[in-house]
Amino acid sequence: MNISEWASLAEIAGMGAVVISLLFVGFEIRRNTRQAHADALNTGIRFVRTITGITSTAEDADLF
C-alpha cells in the first residue's frame, strides 16, 4: 500500500470516529436533559410536600 491509500484509510477511520463521538454526545445530552427534568420535578414535589407539612392544620393554613 502506498501513502495515499493509507491516507484514505485514515480519513475513513477519522470520519467513523467523528460519527461515533457525535452519537455519544447526542445520547449524553439526551440523558442530561432527562436528568434535569427529573430534578425539576423532584424540586416541585418537595415544595408541595413542604407546603403540605406547613399547612397540616386549618389554623396553619389560614395563617399561611
Side-chain angles (χ1 to χ4, degrees):
M1 291 180 85
N2 61 20
I3 192 77
S4 66
E5 291 172 341
W6 282 107
S8 295
L9 286 175
E11 194 172 327
I12 291 170
M15 287 187 329
V18 168
V19 168
I20 290 171
S21 67
L22 287 174
L23 288 172
F24 176 75
V25 168
F27 286 127
E28 287 297 312
I29 288 173
R30 179 183 288 173
R31 187 175 66 123
N32 187 27
T33 301
R34 287 180 181 169
Q35 184 63 46
H37 186 250
D39 290 343
L41 288 174
N42 283 335
T43 300
I45 289 169
R46 277 183 296 201
F47 175 75
V48 169
R49 285 183 179 167
T50 300
I51 295 301
T52 303
I54 291 172
T55 60
S56 59
T57 65
E59 293 170 352
D60 292 341
D62 286 339
L63 180 65
F64 185 71

